[in-house]
């Protein structure tokens, strides 16, 4: 008889009973998924990135299916931080869900302002600082593609929030030296890293012979980007083995989740898979538990970075 696997994990000083999380932006603040399973059954709900003011997002069409994935060009549409804190967070806490709030800004000052508003809110487990959204109008907003601006954004949040909440910096794979960017944001005060955000892509409609998306470019997600995610997580874990990574990118099964964990992820976010199967998080969680047990792991944490063992 195999003993049950301890699935718990930590990101900074925050503890979670399982390593499976939602991915920011794929289920808003969880209300769409709550009708399919209790939200407290997964590690945490990572909210859609929220900004200071309400945003309408980018022009339509906003989505395009691609081989083994999809492009989205939503553009951080949302209600703004005040409405979000008044409505979404209390609802999630009422559901007994663990909450990671994702924030995004156009300036370093906006990130600090958002962080200040979160300080007084109880019931939040961590803050994801999205410095890498690839589908906004202003490409200059992609702080994570520049070492100096990414450090400044994280430093501003850390100084504002103090040591109260773990800060998880969400990074872009669209850079030449990801470990260097990761090291910079950790030095600036990030407790963990979210890897990877979507990959910048484009689709051209061969009937109209113009870009299909209203915003021209969008973020590629789904199984097509999983090898990019595995590579990114493996490289960053090799460079920063003590820094927890929330891995994401094309996870559609327990096998996919285990691959990211073996590469170095302490937790795994599931996004695009939920569009086809709203219970994907629960299915992936159960399959992951069985896979860990079959491989002799007593705890999920024993498997983190296990693919690196020969190099050690």
């Amino acid at each position: 008889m195999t003993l049950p696997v301890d699935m718990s994990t930590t990101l900074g000083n925050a503890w979670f009973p399982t390593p499976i999380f939602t991915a920011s932006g794929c289920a808003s603040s969880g209300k769409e998924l709550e009708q399919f399973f209790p939200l407290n059954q997964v590690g945490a709900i990572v909210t859609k990135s929220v900004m200071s003011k309400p945003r309408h997002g980018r022009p339509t069409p906003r989505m395009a299916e691609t081989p083994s994935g999809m492009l989205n060009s939503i553009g951080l549409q949302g209600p703004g931080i005040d409405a979000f804190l008044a409505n979404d967070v209390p609802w999630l806490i009422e559901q007994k869900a663990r909450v990671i709030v994702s924030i995004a800004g156009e300036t370093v000052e906006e990130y600090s302002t958002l962080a200040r508003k979160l300080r007084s809110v109880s019931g939040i487990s961590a803050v994801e600082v999205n410095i890498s959204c690839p589908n906004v109008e202003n490409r200059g907003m992609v702080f994570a593609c520049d070492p100096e601006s990414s450090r400044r954004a994280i430093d501003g949040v850390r100084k504002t929030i103090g040591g109260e909440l773990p800060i998880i910096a969400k990074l872009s794979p669209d850079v030449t030296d990801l470990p260097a960017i990761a090291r910079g944001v950790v030095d600036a005060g990030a407790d963990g890293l979210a890897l990877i955000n979507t990959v910048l892509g484009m689709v051209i409609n061969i009937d109209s012979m113009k870009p299909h998306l209203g915003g021209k470019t969008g973020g590629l997600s789904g199984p097509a980007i999983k090898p990019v995610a595995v590579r990114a997580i493996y490289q960053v874990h090799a460079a920063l083995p003590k820094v927890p990574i929330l891995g994401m990118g094309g996870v559609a099964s327990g096998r996919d989740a285990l691959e990211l964990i073996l590469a170095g992820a302490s937790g795994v976010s599931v996004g695009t898979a939920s569009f086809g199967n709203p219970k994907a998080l629960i299915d992936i969680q159960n399959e992951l538990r069985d896979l860990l047990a079959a491989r002799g792991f007593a705890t999920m944490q024993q498997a983190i970075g296990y693919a690196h063992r020969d190099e050690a």
Side-chain angles (χ1 to χ4, degrees):
M1 180 181 137
T2 54
L3 293 170
V5 177
D6 176 357
M7 295 287 279
S8 65
T9 192
T10 55
L11 297 171
N13 61 13
W15 178 90
F16 303 93
T18 89
I20 302 299
F21 300 70
T22 62
S24 173
C26 293
S28 188
S29 294
K31 286 185 181 175
E32 290 92 338
L33 293 179
E34 190 268 338
Q35 59 189 304
F36 299 102
F37 60 87
L39 298 182
N40 62 3
Q41 287 188 1
V42 296
I45 302 299
V46 185
T47 69
K48 180 171 170 57
S49 296
V50 65
M51 301 183 75
S52 294
K53 294 176 183 169
R55 282 173 67 97
H56 295 299
R58 300 186 89 178
T60 57
R62 293 176 164 194
M63 298 181 84
E65 284 196 58
T66 63
S68 298
M70 69 176 204
L71 281 175
N72 89 81
S73 179
I74 310 301
L76 294 177
Q77 178 179 333
I81 187 70
D82 293 331
F84 170 80
L85 292 179
N87 302 314
D88 295 83
V89 173
W91 182 85
L92 281 166
I93 292 167
E94 200 177 285
Q95 306 304 309
K96 298 184 168 52
R98 287 154 295 277
V99 185
I100 297 177
V101 174
S102 182
I103 58 172
E106 295 186 341
T107 63
V108 169
E109 292 71 29
E110 184 174 1
Y111 281 105
S112 298
T113 300
L114 290 160
R116 192 171 298 112
K117 296 208 170 188
L118 294 180
R119 280 188 67 171
S120 59
V121 181
S122 58
I124 296 173
S125 296
V127 179
E128 178 189 87
V129 185
N130 182 2
I131 54 174
S132 62
C133 192
N135 56 11
V136 288
E137 300 90 338
N138 176 11
R139 293 295 295 154
M141 272 178 67
V142 187
F143 288 80
C145 291
D146 175 67
E148 182 54 34
S149 59
S150 58
R151 277 196 296 267
R152 284 174 50 231
I154 297 300
D155 181 60
V157 174
R158 171 51 74 204
K159 283 178 175 164
T160 304
I161 238 164
E164 296 166 39
L165 286 170
I167 294 171
I168 303 166
K170 189 169 194 176
L171 300 184
S172 168
D174 295 330
V175 295
T176 51
D177 190 348
L178 186 54
I181 302 270
R183 194 174 282 109
V185 295
V186 168
D187 289 345
D191 301 289
L193 303 164
L195 301 171
I196 57 174
N197 208 331
T198 51
V199 178
L200 189 66
M202 189 182 212
V203 167
I204 290 178
N205 183 316
I206 62 166
D207 294 322
S208 68
M209 295 186 283
K210 291 181 177 180
H212 173 79
L213 295 173
K216 295 185 180 176
T217 60
L220 178 65
S221 64
I225 71 167
K226 192 189 74 174
V228 181
V230 173
R231 180 269 303 173
I233 293 163
Y234 191 93
Q235 284 182 333
V236 171
H237 184 75
L240 301 163
K242 291 186 166 52
V243 177
I245 295 170
L246 179 55
M248 63 202 73
V251 174
S253 68
R255 296 179 71 87
D256 295 336
L258 180 57
E259 199 174 342
L260 267 58
I261 290 165
L262 295 172
S266 295
V268 175
S269 278
V270 178
T272 302
S274 294
F275 293 135
N277 172 17
K279 293 184 177 175
L281 281 98
I282 300 298
D283 294 345
I284 289 167
Q285 192 164 275
N286 292 337
E287 187 186 349
L288 174 63
R289 183 184 288 111
D290 293 344
L291 289 165
L292 289 165
R295 283 153 182 76
F297 292 107
T299 71
M300 188 285 299
Q301 297 200 36
Q302 290 172 348
I304 297 170
Y306 199 71
H308 296 259
R309 63 195 182 284
D310 294 335
E311 294 166 30

